[in-house]
Structures are given as C-alpha cells and as structure tokens.
Amino acid sequence: MTFTQEDARSDLASAPGAEWWRTAVIYQIYPRSFADASGDGLGDLPGVTAHLDDLHDLGVDAIWLSPFQRSPQKDAGYDVADYRDVDPIFGTLADFDAMLAGAHERGIRVIVDLVPNHSSDQHVWFQEALKAAPGSPERARYIFREGKGENGDLPPNNWESVFGGGMWKRVTEADGTPGQWYLHIFDESQPDFDWTNDEVRAEFRDILRFWLDRGVDGFRVDVAHGLIKAEGLPDFTPDPEGGSMGGDAAEVPYWGQPGVHDVWRDWHEVLAEYDGDRALCAEAWLPTVKQTALWVRPDEMHQAFNFHYLETKWDAAALRDVVTESIAEYTAVGAPSTWVLSNHDVVRHASRLALTAENPQGAGIGPKSPGKPDPVKGLRRARAATSLMLALPGSSYLYQGEELGLPEVIDLPDDARQDPTWFRTNGERYGRDGCRVPIPWTADAPAYGFNTTGEAWLPQPAEWAELAHDVQVDDPSSTLTLYRALLAERRARGLGAGDIEWLDGYGDDVVALRNGTLTVIANLGDAPVELPAGEVLIASGPLDGERLPTDTTVWIAAA
C-alpha cells in the first residue's frame, strides 16, 4: 500500500490507543554526521533527503533530527540562536520542506528536536539582556542573579555544570564593571531561560506552531526534566553515587521540579490544535521508571525515553525487571513504554555492552579509558540486545549507524575532539564525540560515501570501510540485514501493539518471552540453551544446531 502525505495528515485523529507514536520505530538522525551533500565535511538536510529511500528500505516509521536550527555550534546545535530558521551549514528552510515532503511521501514521519531549557548566548534575547540593566524585562527572560560576597564576586550558589565546572558565569555590565551572574546548566554559551516568565512561555508556543504549521509530526524535547528550578536556588551537592541524576529527583533543585509539568500540559494543548496525532517525546533523565512515567500522563508528553532500559547492564534478571517495571508504570498512565539502546549522548551499545569498567553517562571512552571493550563481543551483544528490544511492545528508537553495527570510535586524536565536556573537564572526560563520527555509506568512496570530497568534521576510522552500507546491504549475515528483517517481522506481526508473557524453564541467565505468536529467547549466560519447537524466523547470530549460543537472541514462530 502506498502511504501518501494525505494519510499522514488525516483530518481525523486516530482512535485513542491507536496513535502512530504508540508503536513506531523512530530513527535518530544526527544531521552533521548522517550525510553531507555539500561536501564541506558537515552533514546537511539535502544529505538526509538523498538517503530517504535507504531509511524506507530499513523499515522505520519516523525520523527524529537532532537540532538543525541556527546556532554557533558551540554544543553541536544544542545552543540555538534562532529557533525558526535552519542553520546555513545544514541548508535552508526550503531544504527542510523538501526533506519533510520526501519523508511523508515514503510514509516516514518527522520529529524535530527542540531545546527549551536554554538558548545560545548569541540569541537576540540574550544579547539584549547583556545590554540591559539588572532587573530589566530583557534580563527577566533568563536567570540572572546577584553574586555573593562583599563585592558579588562569588556565584549565587554552588551548583556544578553537567559539562564540568561551575554553573554560573559573571557578566561585564555596559559601564565595564563586573555585574550579575547568569545560570547555565550546560556550557557557559548556553544560558538557561527563566520558565516562570510568561514571555518565555508565549515565545515557545509560537515556535511550536511555526514547525507544526510546516507539517512536522512532533518534537523531541531536550532536557525536559529541567526548565523549572527550585525556588530560592538553594545550594546542592550531588550524590557521587547518584548516577546521571546526581541523586533523588525530589532533592535536585534543577531537575524534575513539579512546575515543569505545567509547561508540558500547555504544549500538549498546542499540539492538540493540529490533526494527525502530533507527538512530544521527553528527554528526561530521572532516578526511577515511576518518576519518568509522570512525564507521559494523558495531558502531558506522549513519550519519554526509557533511559533506565538503556542503562541496564547485560544481565538477564535486570533486563526482565526493567521491562516488567516499564510496562507496568507506563501502562498505569495510559502511555506506551519506549525502548532505546543508543543515542548521540551515550557510548554506542556495540561497545558499551562489552565494557569491563564503569562508564558514567556522558564520560565517553578514549585511548586512556579503563576496561575498553572487546569489539567482537560488543557487536554480538548489540545484535542480541536489539533483537530483544524490537520484540517488545511500545515504541523503539534507533540511532543512526547502529543498523551497521558501528562501535564507539575510541582512538580520536585529542586535537580532533569537539565536545564541550572534553574542554570543560580539561580532558578528564572524553565526552560524546566517539558516537558522533560521520557514518559510512560506500566502502571505496571518499569519506566512505559521507560526501564526495573526503572531508569529515570528525575523523573516520579505517574499519568504517568494512561496515559501510553498500558492503552490508546484500550480505545475508550483516547487521543491516538483521535490522531490516527484525523491523519487517515486527511490523508484520504487530509486535509494537502486543503484550508479553514471560516464559519459564530456561534458566536465570536467559530472557524468554512470548509476544503474540512469537517466542523470543535471549541467552545472556555462558552455556548454550536448547531451543523449543517452532520455525526459527530470525537469529541475531549463528545457531549451534538446535541450541542457542551465548549472547544470541532468536525469534521463533509458535509451532
């Protein structure tokens, strides 16, 4: 059946419970590393358009594009200077419209990234704030405060930036004297908006409508657990054992504050003005699944990334627990669980699942990191993990290049790194560049087909040649072929709308479940597992006769 743009824009929304985003497989595109049509070494929107057929053949339902709006690119586009335009390095608004139309013609919906917690310091509002006086309406759009100490030369509190260093920067006033401080949860080039300000809220409602009017299908919302800060901005020292959140969300004064839910209820109403089941997906790093589910209550977000699943170790009991809890907690609020294993902020799971040392989110891995992964084991586990994930009910997210089995790039030269984390920690943390290296399309082409000039904003490793799309597309044993088979079978069997039943009798190191008429068995132990009767539809790796080897997942049709 041919899917038309009119199908994507039906005058009537889907019946409750049947919306497209509940079961969709959504493919993340990191534009600067996907495909470069201009040849300048940075990926762009025409590059995305050129590969829409490849995405259609892969079998995804939607694409999510990391920020492509105007930006000085201090944090790879997550520092936005103009929310209503395309940065020239990525193309033009006309290029965006052409990409959007091409995606819709192929039945692929389009989600754009929106960054509401902070802007670039080059945003016109922030430039106006710097020129204005303390207490002015211009400064009230951001979080400016007087410093502590006799001369105000100490920051307003002790908060530490996610990227390292302090969370406050002092400005120089128009008369040349040291002035107020502004808050930046991330880099100092990313000042935080003050979301208690009605002007900020009205501005973002208008930004939403700008992109919705162009036809986008939804938004991935950056730092959705931020925005609102605790009244009084009290001092806070993170728990070093608190993981990516730094402690319980109720205690962290800049994460997960109750007032942020009012923002998402407001945005939900804006999206409800439009037909076609437009969707909001929260990037919300919270301590528990139960807390994350609060972001997807019926009048708030539609989806939230399941980072608890992403961060679960390669352990059968832990995986069973997080899947059970996720389905229960999301179902309790009427939302689907999402499933994700990789994105632009974490070590690629083809490497992460084989690490032998702790690696906090955002730290990255590099030449001096302990516990570097075994690439063979990492890929085997990655294929098995994805095969398990795509059998689960709900919506799944894929990150560009994982369908090629790409590992984290570890041996990037120091002088090539660009992540602010690397610089703000003086090289103590490698950051996220290793998962952002431009992906390979053609083995024997310049830059492996990323473009025709050989330029690439991050250097590509030699092994990219054997992982290129054109090498894998006709190889029946390739990771690309595995992904295409999984997505086709998932769609044909309606697994995204299914229910799972755990199967007993396979041992503690095995995850075994049934979704509809499909039996799924993942062997995370050391010993082979006897397979049940039935037709083997897909296996993530070679089988040992009638036995399932370690780090392998199989899909079996019921006998």
Side-chain angles (χ1 to χ4, degrees), residues 4-171:
T4 68
Q5 196 158 349
E6 286 69 30
D7 294 322
R9 288 287 161 266
S10 170
D11 289 336
L12 297 175
S14 301
E19 299 91 347
W20 67 269
W21 43 265
R22 290 183 175 273
T23 60
V25 175
I26 301 169
Y27 182 97
Q28 181 189 357
I29 291 176
Y30 194 70
R32 61 170 47 218
S33 298
F34 185 71
D36 171 24
S38 71
D40 64 356
L42 291 167
D44 46 40
L45 294 177
V48 175
T49 304
H51 286 285
L52 287 173
D53 283 338
D54 294 310
L55 295 171
H56 178 267
D57 291 343
L58 180 60
V60 300
D61 300 300
I63 55 177
W64 146 40
L65 294 99
S66 290
F68 51 83
Q69 295 90 353
R70 280 190 178 265
S71 165
Q73 303 295 318
K74 295 288 184 66
D75 185 24
Y78 283 91
D79 50 321
V80 181
D82 186 345
Y83 289 87
R84 297 178 182 83
D85 200 4
V86 173
D87 194 286
I89 67 172
F90 297 125
T92 64
L93 278 170
D95 291 328
F96 175 82
D97 292 339
M99 182 275 302
L100 180 68
H104 282 169
E105 288 167 3
R106 292 163 176 82
I108 300 173
R109 290 179 168 85
V110 177
I111 296 170
V112 302
D113 220 316
L114 199 55
V115 186
N117 180 72
H118 52 266
S119 74
S120 164
D121 60 3
Q122 300 305 305
H123 191 286
V124 63
W125 274 12
F126 192 73
Q127 290 299 306
E128 291 172 353
L130 292 178
K131 297 173 184 176
S136 63
E138 291 82 2
R139 289 209 173 173
R141 298 161 174 163
Y142 294 89
I143 301 177
F144 279 86
R145 294 291 186 273
E146 299 295 336
K148 292 183 176 180
E150 183 177 352
N151 299 308
D153 54 358
L154 298 176
N157 64 30
N158 70 341
W159 295 358
E160 291 290 315
S161 166
V162 171
F163 286 168
M167 203 183 280
W168 294 90
K169 181 174 174 61
R170 197 174 194 185
V171 303

Side-chain angles (χ1 to χ4, degrees), residues 483-504:
Y483 270 67
R484 292 172 69 173
L486 291 167
L487 292 176
E489 198 68 33
R490 184 183 191 276
R491 182 188 297 250
R493 291 178 174 269
L495 300 181
D499 294 297
I500 67 166
E501 171 192 357
W502 295 116
L503 302 178
D504 296 326

Side-chain angles (χ1 to χ4, degrees), residues 90-393:
F90 297 125
T92 64
L93 278 170
D95 291 328
F96 175 82
D97 292 339
M99 182 275 302
L100 180 68
H104 282 169
E105 288 167 3
R106 292 163 176 82
I108 300 173
R109 290 179 168 85
V110 177
I111 296 170
V112 302
D113 220 316
L114 199 55
V115 186
N117 180 72
H118 52 266
S119 74
S120 164
D121 60 3
Q122 300 305 305
H123 191 286
V124 63
W125 274 12
F126 192 73
Q127 290 299 306
E128 291 172 353
L130 292 178
K131 297 173 184 176
S136 63
E138 291 82 2
R139 289 209 173 173
R141 298 161 174 163
Y142 294 89
I143 301 177
F144 279 86
R145 294 291 186 273
E146 299 295 336
K148 292 183 176 180
E150 183 177 352
N151 299 308
D153 54 358
L154 298 176
N157 64 30
N158 70 341
W159 295 358
E160 291 290 315
S161 166
V162 171
F163 286 168
M167 203 183 280
W168 294 90
K169 181 174 174 61
R170 197 174 194 185
V171 303
T172 300
E173 302 295 355
D175 62 3
T177 61
Q180 289 187 308
W181 299 70
Y182 68 85
L183 181 73
H184 58 90
I185 284 183
F186 297 95
D187 190 64
E188 66 184 42
S189 65
Q190 296 166 296
D192 280 39
F193 286 113
D194 186 342
W195 273 87
T196 66
N197 187 317
D198 288 339
E199 188 178 5
V200 172
R201 298 193 180 214
E203 171 71 357
F204 273 89
R205 284 193 291 270
D206 189 73
I207 291 167
L208 289 171
R209 292 188 176 102
F210 176 85
W211 293 105
L212 290 165
D213 288 341
R214 300 194 90 85
V216 305
D217 298 282
F219 302 91
R220 176 266 190 189
V221 183
D222 190 60
V223 196
H225 57 308
L227 280 68
I228 302 297
K229 281 69 177 178
E231 187 174 353
L233 308 181
D235 280 355
F236 172 73
T237 301
D239 178 357
E241 303 298 323
S244 57
M245 278 297 300
D248 188 283
E251 300 173 355
V252 182
Y254 42 85
W255 294 146
Q257 297 299 302
V260 78
H261 295 284
D262 292 334
V263 177
W264 309 136
R265 292 185 182 102
D266 186 34
W267 285 28
H268 186 106
E269 290 181 2
V270 173
L271 266 66
E273 299 169 5
Y274 292 79
D275 59 30
D277 299 321
R278 316 295 176 102
L280 294 168
C281 181
E283 184 215 21
W285 293 88
L286 295 157
T288 68
V289 174
K290 189 177 186 67
Q291 287 172 306
T292 308
L294 296 178
W295 262 245
V296 289
R297 288 174 288 192
D299 61 345
E300 297 190 40
M301 295 281 193
H302 303 88
Q303 294 183 332
F305 289 125
N306 192 339
F307 292 127
H308 302 90
Y309 182 77
L310 181 152
E311 292 186 320
T312 300
K313 296 184 182 300
W314 189 239
D315 176 85
L319 284 168
R320 286 192 297 269
D321 287 346
V322 73
V323 171
T324 299
E325 183 183 14
S326 298
I327 292 175
E329 295 295 348
Y330 285 101
T331 299
V333 295
S337 181
T338 64
W339 313 103
V340 59
L341 289 167
S342 283
N343 64 36
H344 66 292
D345 282 334
V346 303
V347 173
R348 285 185 176 274
H349 69 283
S351 296
R352 188 181 71 249
L353 293 177
L355 289 174
T356 58
E358 290 298 317
N359 187 259
Q361 189 273 323
I365 51 177
K368 297 179 182 178
S369 296
K372 287 194 283 290
D374 174 342
V376 175
K377 177 185 288 188
L379 179 58
R380 188 170 66 242
R381 288 183 172 179
R383 288 166 59 107
T386 297
S387 299
L388 174 61
M389 180 184 80
L390 289 174
L392 299 175

